Amino acid sequence: GMRPLLAASVTAATILSSSSLAWLSSVVSPRWSALRRLAPSAIISANSRRGPHFAHFLTVGGVNMVESAVRKDGDFVSYIDSLPEMLNETLRKNGRVRVFMGNEAADADSIVSSLTLGYAESMKPSKAPSELMVPVVSAPRADLSLRRDVVILLDIAGINPENLLYIDDEIVVDRLLSPPVSGKEDPRSITLTDHNRIRSSLRDLAPLVTEIVDHHEDSGHHSSVTVESGRRSIAFDGGKATVASTCTLVTELLLDDQTSGGKGN
């Protein structure tokens, strides 16, 4: 359970400002094919606590280790590609589903942190065998092309955006994010990444929020999700974020889990 978590952690990318996107285009584009040979699914979590807001790529040695881990223990791209089919099958069997969803702005940090955390959780040996981890892009499908930083990152990682699930997809609207039925046990749960209060349009789903991973000031909502349980990871203290992106926090959580032998929740 340790190596795929590490592989997932280095797949994470960071929020990119417009200036860093220009940097990414100028530096990465000339080396595009070489990077794709070296790291088809490896973009390291980019924002360190001290660093500027741009993506850093793995060294050749790191890439070799990551590729080996991905091939052996589970392919991130295959996981993404198979999600729609797996979701249909899980829903057909009335199985449990955990939805991973970033904030309403749907920037790179939100999208990549939800994708990466969903994949990492799916690889944990401690997860319920019948529970499917489902990252959902928190933007309409037609809008992703407007987020050029995200498109570039996904392309470098070998992910086809068409295979992702989006917040306005019919199956997402009708099955994953539909209002709970009163008096009936709900097989869904929700993990919020890069925000700590579910958007107002989904407030009926607030009781389903069971995990928060974020770096913004804690709004105090979803009080049943506690720090003590290990399910409320909000990197904000003393009036400021203690990490520069949620992807950084996701990576740190996964590395901590690896160090502890993969025994975390």
Side-chain angles (χ1 to χ4, degrees):
M2 291 163 57
R3 293 184 69 192
L5 292 180
L6 181 58
S9 74
V10 293
T11 306
T14 185
I15 182 172
L16 301 174
S17 66
S18 57
S19 60
S20 62
L21 178 57
W23 172 88
L24 185 65
S25 299
S26 64
V27 173
V28 172
S29 294
R31 300 165 175 81
W32 199 278
S33 59
L35 276 168
R36 295 182 80 166
R37 286 196 301 273
L38 287 172
S41 62
I43 303 171
I44 197 165
S45 172
N47 270 4
S48 68
R49 285 188 171 89
R50 303 173 304 280
H53 293 183
F54 56 75
H56 299 275
F57 291 88
L58 294 174
T59 62
V60 173
V63 168
N64 291 337
M65 178 274 295
V66 170
E67 286 188 315
S68 174
V70 169
R71 282 197 302 269
K72 179 179 178 181
D73 296 304
D75 187 329
F76 180 67
V77 177
S78 295
Y79 162 76
I80 295 296
D81 289 348
S82 63
L83 264 177
E85 182 179 348
M86 289 193 298
L87 177 57
N88 276 307
E89 181 67 11
T90 300
L91 293 175
R92 186 181 67 80
K93 295 179 177 179
N94 296 315
R96 302 193 67 82
V97 176
R98 194 194 314 178
V99 177
F100 295 78
M101 187 166 54
N103 65 36
E104 205 162 354
D107 55 27
D109 192 28
S110 271
I111 292 173
V112 177
S113 62
S114 62
L115 292 175
T116 305
L117 188 58
Y119 170 68
E121 290 292 325
S122 77
M123 299 298 291
K124 280 188 177 183
S126 60
K127 83 173 185 71
S130 61
E131 186 177 32
L132 181 65
M133 310 298 171
V134 183
V136 172
V137 177
S138 55
R141 180 175 288 271
D143 287 359
L144 189 71
S145 61
L146 304 176
R147 293 163 169 80
R148 296 302 302 165
D149 51 352
V150 178
V151 172
I152 289 173
L153 289 167
L154 293 177
D155 188 54
I156 294 172
I159 296 171
N160 183 353
E162 290 297 315
N163 294 334
L164 300 176
L165 292 164
Y166 295 81
I167 199 165
D168 62 340
D169 286 350
E170 183 177 355
I171 194 170
V172 174
V173 173
D174 293 346
R175 301 298 300 274
L176 297 186
L177 301 180
S178 57
V181 178
S182 179
K184 183 178 178 181
E185 182 184 0
D186 203 302
R188 301 168 297 175
S189 62
I190 296 174
T191 292
L192 302 180
T193 69
D194 203 27
H195 65 312
N196 57 73
R197 180 184 183 183
I198 199 166
R199 63 180 70 187
S200 59
S201 61
L202 299 176
R203 57 183 172 271
D204 289 344
L205 298 175
L208 301 183
V209 174
T210 59
E211 183 180 28
I212 296 170
V213 181
D214 185 29
H215 69 131
H216 299 96
E217 184 174 6
D218 194 340
S219 66
H221 289 80
H222 313 297
S223 57
S224 62
V225 184
T226 64
V227 173
E228 291 75 19
S229 70
R231 310 288 290 178
R232 191 183 193 94
S233 301
I234 300 179
F236 193 96
D237 188 49
K240 62 181 180 181
T242 58
V243 297
S245 72
T246 301
C247 282
T248 304
L249 179 58
V250 168
T251 300
E252 290 180 353
L253 290 172
L254 297 179
L255 290 174
D256 286 347
D257 187 83
Q258 179 205 15
T259 303
S260 64
K263 297 177 181 178
N265 292 328

